[in-house]
């Protein structure tokens, strides 16, 4: 399994097949923008308990939106553009329900491993602190004019998180094309390529998320400090739409990476080939099969 050809094709995919993929972005971008605006306008003066409940509901809503979008992308790449309507999956079916359910299960499993690893890292840090002092507890960085403090020990939890996400997420494209698979079978499928799939599907998306959130925090700070109240609402709307578009462009690349990784490792469906995106089909499969 070669990493670079998969990344290259996934990055070029939204542009090379833009007439098909860009309409798929329309509905999720609009819905995500509306959710962001609701977050900004409706949660300003509510109690903490209500705020927590609403944020959980919004997180679930975003996961549902992503499930519709991801299923459409997986089917477009693995089966072909003819398998998906112009603006994506038109309704909620058993396929989308399975995808959403297993998405939650996979991330819950990965979160448990991350919390366990973080707890071990913190205990190791506390042990080291007894000899070296508190110097390793905090890392201060300045990014886009903002000073942030990070605990490098907590970030160690991302290593098992990305690894588990990477190997178990191969279940998701299989569900999108209606295959009956299990966590055990997809874990075995990536045997011998565990760290490669962890990099492609676990850590690269985590880096995308970090970049997106850093940019979002900076722009929110800019809006709150540089614009007066009667103009800030306009900027919030523009920012929310831009952030949603950027997020789903990155999601398109992430889903494409996962689909192409699944295609490489599973050996599935050579008779149902997706339309070539960057190179002749034969050359493409020669690259991906190594």
């Amino acid at each position: 399994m070669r990493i670079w050809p998969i990344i290259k094709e996934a990055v070029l995919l939204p542009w090379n097949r833009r007439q098909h993929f860009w309409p798929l972005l329309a509905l999720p971008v609009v819905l995500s923008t509306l959710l962001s605006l609701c977050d900004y306008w409706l949660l300003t003066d509510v109690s903490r308990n209500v705020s927590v409940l609403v944020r959980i509901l919004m997180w679930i809503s975003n996961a549902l939106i992503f499930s519709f979008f991801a299923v459409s992308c997986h089917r477009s790449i693995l089966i072909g553009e003819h398998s998906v309507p112009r603006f994506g999956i038109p309704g909620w079916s058993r396929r989308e329900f399975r995808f959403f359910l297993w998405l939650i299960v996979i991330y819950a499993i990965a979160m448990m491993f991350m919390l366990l690893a973080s707890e071990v890292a913190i205990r190791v840090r506390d042990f080291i602190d007894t000899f070296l002092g508190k110097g390793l507890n905090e890392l201060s960085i300045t990014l886009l004019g903002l000073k942030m403090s990070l605990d490098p020990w907590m970030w160690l939890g991302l290593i098992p998180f990305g690894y588990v996400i990477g190997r178990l997420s191969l279940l998701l494209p299989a569900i999108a094309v209606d295959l009956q698979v299990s966590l055990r079978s997809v874990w075995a499928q990536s045997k011998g390529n565990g760290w490669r799939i962890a990099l492609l599907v676990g850590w690269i998306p985590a880096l995308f998320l970090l970049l997106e959130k850093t940019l979002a925090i900076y722009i929110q700070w800019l809006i709150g400090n540089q614009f007066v109240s009667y103009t800030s609402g306009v900027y919030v709307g523009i920012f929310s739409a831009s952030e949603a578009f950027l997020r789903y462009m990155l999601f398109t690349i992430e889903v494409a990476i996962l689909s192409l990784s699944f295609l490489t490792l599973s050996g599935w469906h050579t008779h149902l080939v997706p339309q070539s995106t960057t190179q002749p089909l034969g050359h493409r499969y020669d690259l991906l099969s190594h």
Side-chain angles (χ1 to χ4, degrees), residues 237-260:
I238 295 173
F239 162 68
S240 297
S242 301
E243 183 188 22
F245 179 76
L246 173 62
R247 182 187 311 128
Y248 272 90
M249 283 294 294
L250 294 176
F251 280 164
T252 303
I253 296 172
E254 293 168 16
V255 170
I257 288 174
L258 179 55
S259 283
L260 296 173

mmCIF file with all atom_site columns, all heavy atoms in Angstrom, residues 237-260:
data_model
loop_
_atom_site.group_PDB
_atom_site.id
_atom_site.type_symbol
_atom_site.label_atom_id
_atom_site.label_alt_id
_atom_site.label_comp_id
_atom_site.label_asym_id
_atom_site.label_entity_id
_atom_site.label_seq_id
_atom_site.pdbx_PDB_ins_code
_atom_site.Cartn_x
_atom_site.Cartn_y
_atom_site.Cartn_z
_atom_site.occupancy
_atom_site.B_iso_or_equiv
_atom_site.pdbx_formal_charge
_atom_site.auth_seq_id
_atom_site.auth_comp_id
_atom_site.auth_asym_id
_atom_site.auth_atom_id
_atom_site.pdbx_PDB_model_num
ATOM 1   N N   . GLY A 1 237 ? -22.146 35.549 9.666  1.00 0.00 ? 237 GLY A N   1
ATOM 2   C CA  . GLY A 1 237 ? -22.767 34.778 8.591  1.00 0.00 ? 237 GLY A CA  1
ATOM 3   C C   . GLY A 1 237 ? -21.775 34.384 7.519  1.00 0.00 ? 237 GLY A C   1
ATOM 4   O O   . GLY A 1 237 ? -21.746 33.230 7.064  1.00 0.00 ? 237 GLY A O   1
ATOM 5   N N   . ILE A 1 238 ? -20.932 35.343 7.093  1.00 0.00 ? 238 ILE A N   1
ATOM 6   C CA  . ILE A 1 238 ? -19.918 35.049 6.075  1.00 0.00 ? 238 ILE A CA  1
ATOM 7   C C   . ILE A 1 238 ? -18.920 34.011 6.588  1.00 0.00 ? 238 ILE A C   1
ATOM 8   O O   . ILE A 1 238 ? -18.559 33.063 5.885  1.00 0.00 ? 238 ILE A O   1
ATOM 9   C CB  . ILE A 1 238 ? -19.190 36.344 5.669  1.00 0.00 ? 238 ILE A CB  1
ATOM 10  C CG1 . ILE A 1 238 ? -20.165 37.305 4.988  1.00 0.00 ? 238 ILE A CG1 1
ATOM 11  C CG2 . ILE A 1 238 ? -18.003 36.023 4.750  1.00 0.00 ? 238 ILE A CG2 1
ATOM 12  C CD1 . ILE A 1 238 ? -19.575 38.662 4.700  1.00 0.00 ? 238 ILE A CD1 1
ATOM 13  N N   . PHE A 1 239 ? -18.489 34.201 7.833  1.00 0.00 ? 239 PHE A N   1
ATOM 14  C CA  . PHE A 1 239 ? -17.537 33.255 8.417  1.00 0.00 ? 239 PHE A CA  1
ATOM 15  C C   . PHE A 1 239 ? -18.128 31.858 8.540  1.00 0.00 ? 239 PHE A C   1
ATOM 16  O O   . PHE A 1 239 ? -17.471 30.864 8.231  1.00 0.00 ? 239 PHE A O   1
ATOM 17  C CB  . PHE A 1 239 ? -17.087 33.765 9.788  1.00 0.00 ? 239 PHE A CB  1
ATOM 18  C CG  . PHE A 1 239 ? -16.475 32.699 10.647 1.00 0.00 ? 239 PHE A CG  1
ATOM 19  C CD1 . PHE A 1 239 ? -15.263 32.128 10.317 1.00 0.00 ? 239 PHE A CD1 1
ATOM 20  C CD2 . PHE A 1 239 ? -17.128 32.254 11.779 1.00 0.00 ? 239 PHE A CD2 1
ATOM 21  C CE1 . PHE A 1 239 ? -14.700 31.139 11.096 1.00 0.00 ? 239 PHE A CE1 1
ATOM 22  C CE2 . PHE A 1 239 ? -16.580 31.264 12.569 1.00 0.00 ? 239 PHE A CE2 1
ATOM 23  C CZ  . PHE A 1 239 ? -15.359 30.697 12.226 1.00 0.00 ? 239 PHE A CZ  1
ATOM 24  N N   . SER A 1 240 ? -19.372 31.755 9.000  1.00 0.00 ? 240 SER A N   1
ATOM 25  C CA  . SER A 1 240 ? -20.011 30.449 9.181  1.00 0.00 ? 240 SER A CA  1
ATOM 26  C C   . SER A 1 240 ? -20.110 29.702 7.859  1.00 0.00 ? 240 SER A C   1
ATOM 27  O O   . SER A 1 240 ? -19.830 28.498 7.787  1.00 0.00 ? 240 SER A O   1
ATOM 28  C CB  . SER A 1 240 ? -21.401 30.623 9.799  1.00 0.00 ? 240 SER A CB  1
ATOM 29  O OG  . SER A 1 240 ? -21.310 31.202 11.080 1.00 0.00 ? 240 SER A OG  1
ATOM 30  N N   . ALA A 1 241 ? -20.505 30.414 6.795  1.00 0.00 ? 241 ALA A N   1
ATOM 31  C CA  . ALA A 1 241 ? -20.617 29.780 5.486  1.00 0.00 ? 241 ALA A CA  1
ATOM 32  C C   . ALA A 1 241 ? -19.246 29.365 4.965  1.00 0.00 ? 241 ALA A C   1
ATOM 33  O O   . ALA A 1 241 ? -19.080 28.263 4.414  1.00 0.00 ? 241 ALA A O   1
ATOM 34  C CB  . ALA A 1 241 ? -21.292 30.726 4.505  1.00 0.00 ? 241 ALA A CB  1
ATOM 35  N N   . SER A 1 242 ? -18.247 30.232 5.157  1.00 0.00 ? 242 SER A N   1
ATOM 36  C CA  . SER A 1 242 ? -16.892 29.907 4.686  1.00 0.00 ? 242 SER A CA  1
ATOM 37  C C   . SER A 1 242 ? -16.316 28.723 5.443  1.00 0.00 ? 242 SER A C   1
ATOM 38  O O   . SER A 1 242 ? -15.675 27.843 4.860  1.00 0.00 ? 242 SER A O   1
ATOM 39  C CB  . SER A 1 242 ? -15.980 31.126 4.842  1.00 0.00 ? 242 SER A CB  1
ATOM 40  O OG  . SER A 1 242 ? -16.479 32.229 4.121  1.00 0.00 ? 242 SER A OG  1
ATOM 41  N N   . GLU A 1 243 ? -16.532 28.713 6.768  1.00 0.00 ? 243 GLU A N   1
ATOM 42  C CA  . GLU A 1 243 ? -16.027 27.602 7.573  1.00 0.00 ? 243 GLU A CA  1
ATOM 43  C C   . GLU A 1 243 ? -16.688 26.286 7.170  1.00 0.00 ? 243 GLU A C   1
ATOM 44  O O   . GLU A 1 243 ? -16.024 25.253 7.059  1.00 0.00 ? 243 GLU A O   1
ATOM 45  C CB  . GLU A 1 243 ? -16.268 27.877 9.051  1.00 0.00 ? 243 GLU A CB  1
ATOM 46  C CG  . GLU A 1 243 ? -15.697 26.793 9.959  1.00 0.00 ? 243 GLU A CG  1
ATOM 47  C CD  . GLU A 1 243 ? -16.105 26.961 11.407 1.00 0.00 ? 243 GLU A CD  1
ATOM 48  O OE1 . GLU A 1 243 ? -17.122 27.629 11.675 1.00 0.00 ? 243 GLU A OE1 1
ATOM 49  O OE2 . GLU A 1 243 ? -15.420 26.397 12.280 1.00 0.00 ? 243 GLU A OE2 1
ATOM 50  N N   . ALA A 1 244 ? -18.006 26.313 6.926  1.00 0.00 ? 244 ALA A N   1
ATOM 51  C CA  . ALA A 1 244 ? -18.713 25.093 6.531  1.00 0.00 ? 244 ALA A CA  1
ATOM 52  C C   . ALA A 1 244 ? -18.213 24.594 5.175  1.00 0.00 ? 244 ALA A C   1
ATOM 53  O O   . ALA A 1 244 ? -18.028 23.387 4.978  1.00 0.00 ? 244 ALA A O   1
ATOM 54  C CB  . ALA A 1 244 ? -20.219 25.359 6.472  1.00 0.00 ? 244 ALA A CB  1
ATOM 55  N N   . PHE A 1 245 ? -17.984 25.521 4.239  1.00 0.00 ? 245 PHE A N   1
ATOM 56  C CA  . PHE A 1 245 ? -17.472 25.122 2.925  1.00 0.00 ? 245 PHE A CA  1
ATOM 57  C C   . PHE A 1 245 ? -16.086 24.508 3.043  1.00 0.00 ? 245 PHE A C   1
ATOM 58  O O   . PHE A 1 245 ? -15.806 23.461 2.448  1.00 0.00 ? 245 PHE A O   1
ATOM 59  C CB  . PHE A 1 245 ? -17.440 26.331 1.989  1.00 0.00 ? 245 PHE A CB  1
ATOM 60  C CG  . PHE A 1 245 ? -16.907 26.019 0.623  1.00 0.00 ? 245 PHE A CG  1
ATOM 61  C CD1 . PHE A 1 245 ? -17.686 25.343 -0.302 1.00 0.00 ? 245 PHE A CD1 1
ATOM 62  C CD2 . PHE A 1 245 ? -15.610 26.379 0.264  1.00 0.00 ? 245 PHE A CD2 1
ATOM 63  C CE1 . PHE A 1 245 ? -17.195 25.038 -1.562 1.00 0.00 ? 245 PHE A CE1 1
ATOM 64  C CE2 . PHE A 1 245 ? -15.109 26.082 -0.992 1.00 0.00 ? 245 PHE A CE2 1
ATOM 65  C CZ  . PHE A 1 245 ? -15.905 25.406 -1.907 1.00 0.00 ? 245 PHE A CZ  1
ATOM 66  N N   . LEU A 1 246 ? -15.196 25.157 3.824  1.00 0.00 ? 246 LEU A N   1
ATOM 67  C CA  . LEU A 1 246 ? -13.853 24.614 4.027  1.00 0.00 ? 246 LEU A CA  1
ATOM 68  C C   . LEU A 1 246 ? -13.914 23.245 4.691  1.00 0.00 ? 246 LEU A C   1
ATOM 69  O O   . LEU A 1 246 ? -13.202 22.311 4.286  1.00 0.00 ? 246 LEU A O   1
ATOM 70  C CB  . LEU A 1 246 ? -13.034 25.579 4.882  1.00 0.00 ? 246 LEU A CB  1
ATOM 71  C CG  . LEU A 1 246 ? -11.646 25.088 5.323  1.00 0.00 ? 246 LEU A CG  1
ATOM 72  C CD1 . LEU A 1 246 ? -10.759 24.832 4.115  1.00 0.00 ? 246 LEU A CD1 1
ATOM 73  C CD2 . LEU A 1 246 ? -10.993 26.093 6.270  1.00 0.00 ? 246 LEU A CD2 1
ATOM 74  N N   . ARG A 1 247 ? -14.765 23.105 5.699  1.00 0.00 ? 247 ARG A N   1
ATOM 75  C CA  . ARG A 1 247 ? -14.877 21.843 6.418  1.00 0.00 ? 247 ARG A CA  1
ATOM 76  C C   . ARG A 1 247 ? -15.277 20.721 5.472  1.00 0.00 ? 247 ARG A C   1
ATOM 77  O O   . ARG A 1 247 ? -14.686 19.633 5.492  1.00 0.00 ? 247 ARG A O   1
ATOM 78  C CB  . ARG A 1 247 ? -15.897 21.973 7.549  1.00 0.00 ? 247 ARG A CB  1
ATOM 79  C CG  . ARG A 1 247 ? -16.034 20.695 8.393  1.00 0.00 ? 247 ARG A CG  1
ATOM 80  C CD  . ARG A 1 247 ? -17.172 20.804 9.386  1.00 0.00 ? 247 ARG A CD  1
ATOM 81  N NE  . ARG A 1 247 ? -17.084 22.059 10.137 1.00 0.00 ? 247 ARG A NE  1
ATOM 82  C CZ  . ARG A 1 247 ? -18.095 22.907 10.251 1.00 0.00 ? 247 ARG A CZ  1
ATOM 83  N NH1 . ARG A 1 247 ? -19.250 22.666 9.651  1.00 0.00 ? 247 ARG A NH1 1
ATOM 84  N NH2 . ARG A 1 247 ? -17.944 24.016 10.950 1.00 0.00 ? 247 ARG A NH2 1
ATOM 85  N N   . TYR A 1 248 ? -16.264 20.970 4.605  1.00 0.00 ? 248 TYR A N   1
ATOM 86  C CA  . TYR A 1 248 ? -16.732 19.892 3.734  1.00 0.00 ? 248 TYR A CA  1
ATOM 87  C C   . TYR A 1 248 ? -15.809 19.668 2.535  1.00 0.00 ? 248 TYR A C   1
ATOM 88  O O   . TYR A 1 248 ? -15.797 18.568 1.971  1.00 0.00 ? 248 TYR A O   1
ATOM 89  C CB  . TYR A 1 248 ? -18.178 20.153 3.310  1.00 0.00 ? 248 TYR A CB  1
ATOM 90  C CG  . TYR A 1 248 ? -19.127 19.570 4.334  1.00 0.00 ? 248 TYR A CG  1
ATOM 91  C CD1 . TYR A 1 248 ? -19.564 20.331 5.409  1.00 0.00 ? 248 TYR A CD1 1
ATOM 92  C CD2 . TYR A 1 248 ? -19.507 18.239 4.271  1.00 0.00 ? 248 TYR A CD2 1
ATOM 93  C CE1 . TYR A 1 248 ? -20.391 19.784 6.381  1.00 0.00 ? 248 TYR A CE1 1
ATOM 94  C CE2 . TYR A 1 248 ? -20.329 17.684 5.221  1.00 0.00 ? 248 TYR A CE2 1
ATOM 95  C CZ  . TYR A 1 248 ? -20.769 18.455 6.282  1.00 0.00 ? 248 TYR A CZ  1
ATOM 96  O OH  . TYR A 1 248 ? -21.565 17.890 7.251  1.00 0.00 ? 248 TYR A OH  1
ATOM 97  N N   . MET A 1 249 ? -15.027 20.650 2.171  1.00 0.00 ? 249 MET A N   1
ATOM 98  C CA  . MET A 1 249 ? -13.976 20.386 1.196  1.00 0.00 ? 249 MET A CA  1
ATOM 99  C C   . MET A 1 249 ? -12.944 19.426 1.787  1.00 0.00 ? 249 MET A C   1
ATOM 100 O O   . MET A 1 249 ? -12.493 18.481 1.129  1.00 0.00 ? 249 MET A O   1
ATOM 101 C CB  . MET A 1 249 ? -13.302 21.695 0.782  1.00 0.00 ? 249 MET A CB  1
ATOM 102 C CG  . MET A 1 249 ? -14.107 22.530 -0.191 1.00 0.00 ? 249 MET A CG  1
ATOM 103 S SD  . MET A 1 249 ? -14.288 21.733 -1.806 1.00 0.00 ? 249 MET A SD  1
ATOM 104 C CE  . MET A 1 249 ? -12.598 21.754 -2.377 1.00 0.00 ? 249 MET A CE  1
ATOM 105 N N   . LEU A 1 250 ? -12.569 19.661 3.045  1.00 0.00 ? 250 LEU A N   1
ATOM 106 C CA  . LEU A 1 250 ? -11.640 18.754 3.720  1.00 0.00 ? 250 LEU A CA  1
ATOM 107 C C   . LEU A 1 250 ? -12.285 17.386 3.922  1.00 0.00 ? 250 LEU A C   1
ATOM 108 O O   . LEU A 1 250 ? -11.608 16.357 3.783  1.00 0.00 ? 250 LEU A O   1
ATOM 109 C CB  . LEU A 1 250 ? -11.211 19.350 5.061  1.00 0.00 ? 250 LEU A CB  1
ATOM 110 C CG  . LEU A 1 250 ? -10.378 20.637 4.981  1.00 0.00 ? 250 LEU A CG  1
ATOM 111 C CD1 . LEU A 1 250 ? -10.092 21.173 6.387  1.00 0.00 ? 250 LEU A CD1 1
ATOM 112 C CD2 . LEU A 1 250 ? -9.072  20.413 4.242  1.00 0.00 ? 250 LEU A CD2 1
ATOM 113 N N   . PHE A 1 251 ? -13.583 17.362 4.257  1.00 0.00 ? 251 PHE A N   1
ATOM 114 C CA  . PHE A 1 251 ? -14.281 16.084 4.393  1.00 0.00 ? 251 PHE A CA  1
ATOM 115 C C   . PHE A 1 251 ? -14.248 15.305 3.086  1.00 0.00 ? 251 PHE A C   1
ATOM 116 O O   . PHE A 1 251 ? -14.108 14.070 3.089  1.00 0.00 ? 251 PHE A O   1
ATOM 117 C CB  . PHE A 1 251 ? -15.736 16.319 4.804  1.00 0.00 ? 251 PHE A CB  1
ATOM 118 C CG  . PHE A 1 251 ? -15.933 16.597 6.266  1.00 0.00 ? 251 PHE A CG  1
ATOM 119 C CD1 . PHE A 1 251 ? -17.127 17.153 6.734  1.00 0.00 ? 251 PHE A CD1 1
ATOM 120 C CD2 . PHE A 1 251 ? -14.950 16.299 7.197  1.00 0.00 ? 251 PHE A CD2 1
ATOM 121 C CE1 . PHE A 1 251 ? -17.311 17.402 8.085  1.00 0.00 ? 251 PHE A CE1 1
ATOM 122 C CE2 . PHE A 1 251 ? -15.125 16.554 8.548  1.00 0.00 ? 251 PHE A CE2 1
ATOM 123 C CZ  . PHE A 1 251 ? -16.315 17.107 8.986  1.00 0.00 ? 251 PHE A CZ  1
ATOM 124 N N   . THR A 1 252 ? -14.396 16.001 1.964  1.00 0.00 ? 252 THR A N   1
ATOM 125 C CA  . THR A 1 252 ? -14.350 15.320 0.666  1.00 0.00 ? 252 THR A CA  1
ATOM 126 C C   . THR A 1 252 ? -13.015 14.623 0.465  1.00 0.00 ? 252 THR A C   1
ATOM 127 O O   . THR A 1 252 ? -12.956 13.465 0.027  1.00 0.00 ? 252 THR A O   1
ATOM 128 C CB  . THR A 1 252 ? -14.579 16.333 -0.469 1.00 0.00 ? 252 THR A CB  1
ATOM 129 O OG1 . THR A 1 252 ? -15.817 17.015 -0.275 1.00 0.00 ? 252 THR A OG1 1
ATOM 130 C CG2 . THR A 1 252 ? -14.613 15.622 -1.823 1.00 0.00 ? 252 THR A CG2 1
ATOM 131 N N   . ILE A 1 253 ? -11.930 15.313 0.807  1.00 0.00 ? 253 ILE A N   1
ATOM 132 C CA  . ILE A 1 253 ? -10.595 14.718 0.688  1.00 0.00 ? 253 ILE A CA  1
ATOM 133 C C   . ILE A 1 253 ? -10.453 13.538 1.645  1.00 0.00 ? 253 ILE A C   1
ATOM 134 O O   . ILE A 1 253 ? -9.928  12.478 1.275  1.00 0.00 ? 253 ILE A O   1
ATOM 135 C CB  . ILE A 1 253 ? -9.517  15.778 0.956  1.00 0.00 ? 253 ILE A CB  1
ATOM 136 C CG1 . ILE A 1 253 ? -9.572  16.871 -0.109 1.00 0.00 ? 253 ILE A CG1 1
ATOM 137 C CG2 . ILE A 1 253 ? -8.125  15.140 0.994  1.00 0.00 ? 253 ILE A CG2 1
ATOM 138 C CD1 . ILE A 1 253 ? -8.663  18.054 0.175  1.00 0.00 ? 253 ILE A CD1 1
ATOM 139 N N   . GLU A 1 254 ? -10.927 13.702 2.884  1.00 0.00 ? 254 GLU A N   1
ATOM 140 C CA  . GLU A 1 254 ? -10.814 12.630 3.875  1.00 0.00 ? 254 GLU A CA  1
ATOM 141 C C   . GLU A 1 254 ? -11.605 11.396 3.450  1.00 0.00 ? 254 GLU A C   1
ATOM 142 O O   . GLU A 1 254 ? -11.129 10.259 3.584  1.00 0.00 ? 254 GLU A O   1
ATOM 143 C CB  . GLU A 1 254 ? -11.306 13.137 5.226  1.00 0.00 ? 254 GLU A CB  1
ATOM 144 C CG  . GLU A 1 254 ? -10.422 14.215 5.832  1.00 0.00 ? 254 GLU A CG  1
ATOM 145 C CD  . GLU A 1 254 ? -11.071 14.903 7.012  1.00 0.00 ? 254 GLU A CD  1
ATOM 146 O OE1 . GLU A 1 254 ? -12.057 14.347 7.538  1.00 0.00 ? 254 GLU A OE1 1
ATOM 147 O OE2 . GLU A 1 254 ? -10.618 15.987 7.421  1.00 0.00 ? 254 GLU A OE2 1
ATOM 148 N N   . VAL A 1 255 ? -12.823 11.613 2.961  1.00 0.00 ? 255 VAL A N   1
ATOM 149 C CA  . VAL A 1 255 ? -13.645 10.483 2.514  1.00 0.00 ? 255 VAL A CA  1
ATOM 150 C C   . VAL A 1 255 ? -12.996 9.802  1.313  1.00 0.00 ? 255 VAL A C   1
ATOM 151 O O   . VAL A 1 255 ? -12.999 8.572  1.200  1.00 0.00 ? 255 VAL A O   1
ATOM 152 C CB  . VAL A 1 255 ? -15.075 10.957 2.186  1.00 0.00 ? 255 VAL A CB  1
ATOM 153 C CG1 . VAL A 1 255 ? -15.866 9.850  1.494  1.00 0.00 ? 255 VAL A CG1 1
ATOM 154 C CG2 . VAL A 1 255 ? -15.803 11.396 3.455  1.00 0.00 ? 255 VAL A CG2 1
ATOM 155 N N   . ALA A 1 256 ? -12.435 10.601 0.410  1.00 0.00 ? 256 ALA A N   1
ATOM 156 C CA  . ALA A 1 256 ? -11.762 10.024 -0.754 1.00 0.00 ? 256 ALA A CA  1
ATOM 157 C C   . ALA A 1 256 ? -10.560 9.186  -0.326 1.00 0.00 ? 256 ALA A C   1
ATOM 158 O O   . ALA A 1 256 ? -10.327 8.097  -0.861 1.00 0.00 ? 256 ALA A O   1
ATOM 159 C CB  . ALA A 1 256 ? -11.328 11.137 -1.704 1.00 0.00 ? 256 ALA A CB  1
ATOM 160 N N   . ILE A 1 257 ? -9.785  9.678  0.638  1.00 0.00 ? 257 ILE A N   1
ATOM 161 C CA  . ILE A 1 257 ? -8.651  8.899  1.152  1.00 0.00 ? 257 ILE A CA  1
ATOM 162 C C   . ILE A 1 257 ? -9.132  7.574  1.719  1.00 0.00 ? 257 ILE A C   1
ATOM 163 O O   . ILE A 1 257 ? -8.542  6.512  1.458  1.00 0.00 ? 257 ILE A O   1
ATOM 164 C CB  . ILE A 1 257 ? -7.890  9.708  2.228  1.00 0.00 ? 257 ILE A CB  1
ATOM 165 C CG1 . ILE A 1 257 ? -7.107  10.854 1.587  1.00 0.00 ? 257 ILE A CG1 1
ATOM 166 C CG2 . ILE A 1 257 ? -6.935  8.798  3.005  1.00 0.00 ? 257 ILE A CG2 1
ATOM 167 C CD1 . ILE A 1 257 ? -6.443  11.777 2.590  1.00 0.00 ? 257 ILE A CD1 1
ATOM 168 N N   . LEU A 1 258 ? -10.217 7.608  2.478  1.00 0.00 ? 258 LEU A N   1
ATOM 169 C CA  . LEU A 1 258 ? -10.751 6.383  3.072  1.00 0.00 ? 258 LEU A CA  1
ATOM 170 C C   . LEU A 1 258 ? -11.261 5.431  1.992  1.00 0.00 ? 258 LEU A C   1
ATOM 171 O O   . LEU A 1 258 ? -11.011 4.218  2.047  1.00 0.00 ? 258 LEU A O   1
ATOM 172 C CB  . LEU A 1 258 ? -11.862 6.730  4.063  1.00 0.00 ? 258 LEU A CB  1
ATOM 173 C CG  . LEU A 1 258 ? -12.546 5.563  4.763  1.00 0.00 ? 258 LEU A CG  1
ATOM 174 C CD1 . LEU A 1 258 ? -11.534 4.670  5.471  1.00 0.00 ? 258 LEU A CD1 1
ATOM 175 C CD2 . LEU A 1 258 ? -13.590 6.076  5.754  1.00 0.00 ? 258 LEU A CD2 1
ATOM 176 N N   . SER A 1 259 ? -11.972 5.956  1.003  1.00 0.00 ? 259 SER A N   1
ATOM 177 C CA  . SER A 1 259 ? -12.487 5.108  -0.072 1.00 0.00 ? 259 SER A CA  1
ATOM 178 C C   . SER A 1 259 ? -11.354 4.441  -0.843 1.00 0.00 ? 259 SER A C   1
ATOM 179 O O   . SER A 1 259 ? -11.401 3.234  -1.131 1.00 0.00 ? 259 SER A O   1
ATOM 180 C CB  . SER A 1 259 ? -13.342 5.938  -1.037 1.00 0.00 ? 259 SER A CB  1
ATOM 181 O OG  . SER A 1 259 ? -14.616 6.199  -0.520 1.00 0.00 ? 259 SER A OG  1
ATOM 182 N N   . LEU A 1 260 ? -10.337 5.217  -1.195 1.00 0.00 ? 260 LEU A N   1
ATOM 183 C CA  . LEU A 1 260 ? -9.227  4.663  -1.967 1.00 0.00 ? 260 LEU A CA  1
ATOM 184 C C   . LEU A 1 260 ? -8.412  3.674  -1.138 1.00 0.00 ? 260 LEU A C   1
ATOM 185 O O   . LEU A 1 260 ? -7.896  2.683  -1.666 1.00 0.00 ? 260 LEU A O   1
ATOM 186 C CB  . LEU A 1 260 ? -8.335  5.797  -2.478 1.00 0.00 ? 260 LEU A CB  1
ATOM 187 C CG  . LEU A 1 260 ? -8.998  6.760  -3.475 1.00 0.00 ? 260 LEU A CG  1
ATOM 188 C CD1 . LEU A 1 260 ? -8.078  7.932  -3.781 1.00 0.00 ? 260 LEU A CD1 1
ATOM 189 C CD2 . LEU A 1 260 ? -9.378  6.036  -4.757 1.00 0.00 ? 260 LEU A CD2 1
#
